[in-house]
Amino acid sequence: MAASRVQLQKHWLVPVLTLPKFKYADVEEKILGGTTARRGDIVITRGEGCWLFDEDDNKYLDLGSAQGVAMLGHCHPGVTEAIQEQAATLTLCPSYLYNDTRAEFAKALVDVLPKYLNNVFLANSGAEAMDGALKFARLFTKRTAFVAATKGFHGRTMGALSVTWEPKYREGFGPLFETTHVQFNDAAALDKAVTDQTAAVVLEVVQGESGVNVGTPDFLKTAQRVCKERGAVLIVDEIQTGFGRTGKWFAIEHAGIEPDIMCLAKGLGGGFPMGAFAYTKAIREVLTPGAHGSTFGGSPLACAAGLAAIEAYKDEGLIQRSGILGANMRNQLRGALEGVAMVRDIRGLGLMIAVELRTKVAPVLKSLMMNHGVIALPAGPTVLRLLPPLVISEKEIDIGVQAIAKAIKELKA
Ligand SMILES: Cc1ncc(COP(=O)(O)O)c(C=O)c1O
């Protein structure tokens, strides 16, 4: 026994002594790889405001807000302080017990939500919120089928995936829930697709993932009308657009529609993972204890972050700012990219902006990050999507616009 222990130790020591520096990228690729295409070999180790820093302290302007989440920038002081304080007080409280922080957050949330959406279920992510919304729609209508839009994106869990359109995301995972996808912005097709068997119509007001496509008021109002007429529930996905991304608290305000359920996530927790869906009093009336649940949903820690985030959106005037800065940024992009044949269109609402190219966007995104220190997002194969933090300064917008223009023009050369 003693001999083999020595042998084991020796065997263990040799590779330890000769191991090269621990490489985070290699380890992530080996253990966590498989579902994500990485953009470059950099390892991000910290964030501050609109900037991310790698392990060598190189900095990157984050115009993607870490998938649209860091609406308040990275490590917003108010949110950070609230998390630290709550972490030292109470992190967990099961939903069968009341909690002070959760109640305060719930109150603050319904204060900024449309008045008719005064009931909320707290979850942990966008897809979890969407799955819950689909469940409530089925429970309320006693129907099972869904209608959604082409190019719509609602998440990757089985329910959310069912209403998501992209065939590449759905392939291999069926059978999914029965869903009819109608052409986005085709009001007549939507009118035809919704029947007395439809549990819910699920839509984004501005489609994010597929290219920042803005829903027309006619299409969105048709959705509300046919749902009312045929007894279906209208679920609006504000997971990406909520909390000022489009220059309003919620994108539905642009179209003047009133959904029965609204799904939220990204900006909700000020950077802390959190999801929620808000629903009407009529839906609340069909719920019974045990109808839905979530172990982590509504933890005091998440709620403290969410409460601080709502305070920041309000106190810093970020919703209105998003509208103004977004319009400026689009104008600056148009100026900097004027006459560039590679650019097909520049569009958006608030600080949700698309630069559509006539070529693949992936090389532009890579060059933008590696050569110009700016991080942006794709939206489909040819669209460069910008979801900057709402706290971005005019100077930072200028840096971003110049870098984007350079990266696109260089590609042409
Ligand atoms: C509009 C929309 N819905 C749903 C989701 C899914 O959210 P999550 O990734 O938190 O599950 C996303 C995420 O990008 C989204 O943009």
Tab-separated table of all heavy atoms in Angstrom, residues 67 124-128 130 153-156 204 208-209 237-240 265-266 385, ligand 1:
chain	number	residue	atom	x	y	z
A	67	GLN	N	-24.929	40.261	-24.504
A	67	GLN	CA	-26.213	39.764	-25.040
A	67	GLN	C	-27.392	40.635	-24.614
A	67	GLN	O	-28.485	40.126	-24.368
A	67	GLN	CB	-26.498	38.316	-24.595
A	67	GLN	CG	-25.369	37.339	-24.779
A	67	GLN	CD	-25.327	36.752	-26.172
A	67	GLN	OE1	-25.127	37.461	-27.148
A	67	GLN	NE2	-25.533	35.462	-26.268
A	124	ASN	N	-35.866	32.895	-13.715
A	124	ASN	CA	-34.411	33.121	-13.732
A	124	ASN	C	-33.825	33.465	-15.084
A	124	ASN	O	-32.664	33.837	-15.176
A	124	ASN	CB	-33.692	31.868	-13.218
A	124	ASN	CG	-34.165	31.489	-11.845
A	124	ASN	OD1	-33.710	32.060	-10.867
A	124	ASN	ND2	-35.091	30.549	-11.763
A	125	SER	N	-34.600	33.294	-16.145
A	125	SER	CA	-34.057	33.550	-17.486
A	125	SER	C	-35.207	33.876	-18.422
A	125	SER	O	-36.388	33.703	-18.072
A	125	SER	CB	-33.331	32.310	-18.009
A	125	SER	OG	-34.285	31.288	-18.290
A	126	GLY	N	-34.853	34.283	-19.636
A	126	GLY	CA	-35.870	34.600	-20.621
A	126	GLY	C	-36.668	33.376	-21.033
A	126	GLY	O	-37.908	33.398	-21.070
A	127	ALA	N	-35.973	32.298	-21.336
A	127	ALA	CA	-36.669	31.090	-21.793
A	127	ALA	C	-37.588	30.543	-20.702
A	127	ALA	O	-38.700	30.073	-20.994
A	127	ALA	CB	-35.656	30.034	-22.209
A	128	GLU	N	-37.146	30.635	-19.457
A	128	GLU	CA	-37.989	30.137	-18.365
A	128	GLU	C	-39.260	30.989	-18.252
A	128	GLU	O	-40.353	30.466	-17.998
A	128	GLU	CB	-37.220	30.141	-17.035
A	128	GLU	CG	-37.969	29.403	-15.926
A	128	GLU	CD	-37.396	29.650	-14.531
A	128	GLU	OE1	-36.258	30.113	-14.406
A	128	GLU	OE2	-38.130	29.378	-13.561
A	130	MET	N	-40.660	32.591	-20.762
A	130	MET	CA	-41.497	32.258	-21.923
A	130	MET	C	-42.223	30.926	-21.698
A	130	MET	O	-43.424	30.801	-21.994
A	130	MET	CB	-40.625	32.212	-23.183
A	130	MET	CG	-41.364	31.842	-24.446
A	130	MET	SD	-42.824	32.858	-24.803
A	130	MET	CE	-42.080	34.448	-25.190
A	153	PHE	N	-37.597	34.953	-32.157
A	153	PHE	CA	-36.732	34.192	-31.247
A	153	PHE	C	-37.251	34.345	-29.830
A	153	PHE	O	-37.445	35.461	-29.346
A	153	PHE	CB	-35.269	34.675	-31.319
A	153	PHE	CG	-34.371	33.885	-30.423
A	153	PHE	CD1	-33.882	32.644	-30.820
A	153	PHE	CD2	-34.032	34.346	-29.155
A	153	PHE	CE1	-33.076	31.887	-29.979
A	153	PHE	CE2	-33.221	33.598	-28.303
A	153	PHE	CZ	-32.740	32.369	-28.725
A	154	HIS	N	-37.448	33.200	-29.142
A	154	HIS	CA	-38.024	33.262	-27.800
A	154	HIS	C	-37.281	32.403	-26.782
A	154	HIS	O	-37.738	32.295	-25.643
A	154	HIS	CB	-39.496	32.855	-27.868
A	154	HIS	CG	-40.279	33.696	-28.843
A	154	HIS	ND1	-40.576	35.021	-28.600
A	154	HIS	CD2	-40.759	33.422	-30.080
A	154	HIS	CE1	-41.241	35.529	-29.645
A	154	HIS	NE2	-41.348	34.583	-30.554
A	155	GLY	N	-36.171	31.759	-27.186
A	155	GLY	CA	-35.394	30.986	-26.225
A	155	GLY	C	-35.237	29.540	-26.646
A	155	GLY	O	-35.749	29.108	-27.682
A	156	ARG	N	-34.522	28.780	-25.791
A	156	ARG	CA	-34.068	27.434	-26.200
A	156	ARG	C	-34.676	26.285	-25.411
A	156	ARG	O	-34.362	25.133	-25.702
A	156	ARG	CB	-32.551	27.331	-26.024
A	156	ARG	CG	-31.756	28.502	-26.511
A	156	ARG	CD	-31.682	28.538	-28.003
A	156	ARG	NE	-30.658	29.471	-28.422
A	156	ARG	CZ	-29.786	29.236	-29.393
A	156	ARG	NH1	-29.832	28.100	-30.039
A	156	ARG	NH2	-28.906	30.136	-29.716
A	204	GLU	N	-42.477	39.189	-30.773
A	204	GLU	CA	-41.600	40.291	-30.344
A	204	GLU	C	-42.104	41.541	-31.061
A	204	GLU	O	-42.480	41.466	-32.235
A	204	GLU	CB	-40.160	40.063	-30.809
A	204	GLU	CG	-39.420	38.949	-30.131
A	204	GLU	CD	-38.236	38.500	-30.981
A	204	GLU	OE1	-38.429	37.663	-31.880
A	204	GLU	OE2	-37.124	38.990	-30.757
A	208	GLY	N	-35.197	40.854	-32.289
A	208	GLY	CA	-33.790	41.151	-32.038
A	208	GLY	C	-32.852	40.210	-32.749
A	208	GLY	O	-32.098	40.606	-33.656
A	209	GLU	N	-32.927	38.964	-32.378
A	209	GLU	CA	-32.003	37.921	-32.851
A	209	GLU	C	-31.942	37.821	-34.380
A	209	GLU	O	-30.907	37.516	-34.949
A	209	GLU	CB	-32.479	36.595	-32.248
A	209	GLU	CG	-31.623	35.396	-32.515
A	209	GLU	CD	-30.419	35.297	-31.582
A	209	GLU	OE1	-30.349	36.064	-30.600
A	209	GLU	OE2	-29.548	34.469	-31.872
A	237	ASP	N	-43.108	39.227	-26.176
A	237	ASP	CA	-41.771	38.926	-25.675
A	237	ASP	C	-40.967	40.225	-25.631
A	237	ASP	O	-40.521	40.721	-26.665
A	237	ASP	CB	-41.118	37.895	-26.608
A	237	ASP	CG	-39.715	37.500	-26.173
A	237	ASP	OD1	-39.108	38.250	-25.387
A	237	ASP	OD2	-39.231	36.454	-26.637
A	238	GLU	N	-40.808	40.773	-24.429
A	238	GLU	CA	-40.015	42.012	-24.246
A	238	GLU	C	-38.696	41.677	-23.542
A	238	GLU	O	-38.121	42.516	-22.848
A	238	GLU	CB	-40.820	43.036	-23.434
A	238	GLU	CG	-42.032	43.582	-24.153
A	238	GLU	CD	-41.841	45.007	-24.675
A	238	GLU	OE1	-40.693	45.487	-24.728
A	238	GLU	OE2	-42.868	45.619	-25.032
A	239	ILE	N	-38.261	40.445	-23.733
A	239	ILE	CA	-37.043	39.994	-23.050
A	239	ILE	C	-35.839	40.830	-23.469
A	239	ILE	O	-35.005	41.199	-22.644
A	239	ILE	CB	-36.843	38.475	-23.317
A	239	ILE	CG1	-37.893	37.694	-22.505
A	239	ILE	CG2	-35.421	38.012	-23.009
A	239	ILE	CD1	-38.079	36.247	-22.897
A	240	GLN	N	-35.763	41.166	-24.749
A	240	GLN	CA	-34.648	41.986	-25.236
A	240	GLN	C	-35.010	43.475	-25.279
A	240	GLN	O	-34.158	44.338	-25.126
A	240	GLN	CB	-34.246	41.510	-26.637
A	240	GLN	CG	-32.970	42.115	-27.126
A	240	GLN	CD	-32.403	41.420	-28.360
A	240	GLN	OE1	-31.957	42.080	-29.273
A	240	GLN	NE2	-32.408	40.102	-28.392
A	265	ALA	N	-36.681	39.734	-19.162
A	265	ALA	CA	-35.454	39.140	-18.596
A	265	ALA	C	-34.340	40.180	-18.727
A	265	ALA	O	-34.426	41.223	-18.088
A	265	ALA	CB	-35.083	37.825	-19.280
A	266	LYS	N	-33.390	39.937	-19.585
A	266	LYS	CA	-32.183	40.774	-19.794
A	266	LYS	C	-32.021	41.986	-18.866
A	266	LYS	O	-31.297	41.909	-17.901
A	266	LYS	CB	-32.138	41.189	-21.257
A	266	LYS	CG	-32.086	39.954	-22.187
A	266	LYS	CD	-31.508	40.240	-23.493
A	266	LYS	CE	-31.640	39.098	-24.484
A	266	LYS	NZ	-30.552	38.117	-24.409
A	385	ARG	N	-25.487	43.772	-35.056
A	385	ARG	CA	-26.491	44.316	-34.115
A	385	ARG	C	-25.775	45.027	-32.968
A	385	ARG	O	-24.816	44.509	-32.405
A	385	ARG	CB	-27.346	43.165	-33.584
A	385	ARG	CG	-28.429	43.579	-32.622
A	385	ARG	CD	-29.314	42.408	-32.213
A	385	ARG	NE	-28.607	41.153	-32.098
A	385	ARG	CZ	-28.919	40.168	-31.257
A	385	ARG	NH1	-29.955	40.301	-30.449
A	385	ARG	NH2	-28.226	39.043	-31.223
B	1	LIG	C1	-36.452	38.135	-27.572
B	1	LIG	C2	-35.826	37.056	-26.748
B	1	LIG	N1	-36.604	36.135	-26.180
B	1	LIG	C3	-36.087	35.146	-25.420
B	1	LIG	C4	-34.730	35.033	-25.208
B	1	LIG	C5	-34.176	33.914	-24.370
B	1	LIG	O1	-33.651	34.407	-23.182
B	1	LIG	P1	-32.617	33.525	-22.330
B	1	LIG	O2	-31.383	33.377	-23.149
B	1	LIG	O3	-32.416	34.315	-21.064
B	1	LIG	O4	-33.277	32.220	-22.075
B	1	LIG	C6	-33.877	35.972	-25.803
B	1	LIG	C7	-32.422	35.861	-25.636
B	1	LIG	O5	-31.629	36.347	-26.389
B	1	LIG	C8	-34.446	37.008	-26.597
B	1	LIG	O6	-33.659	37.920	-27.184
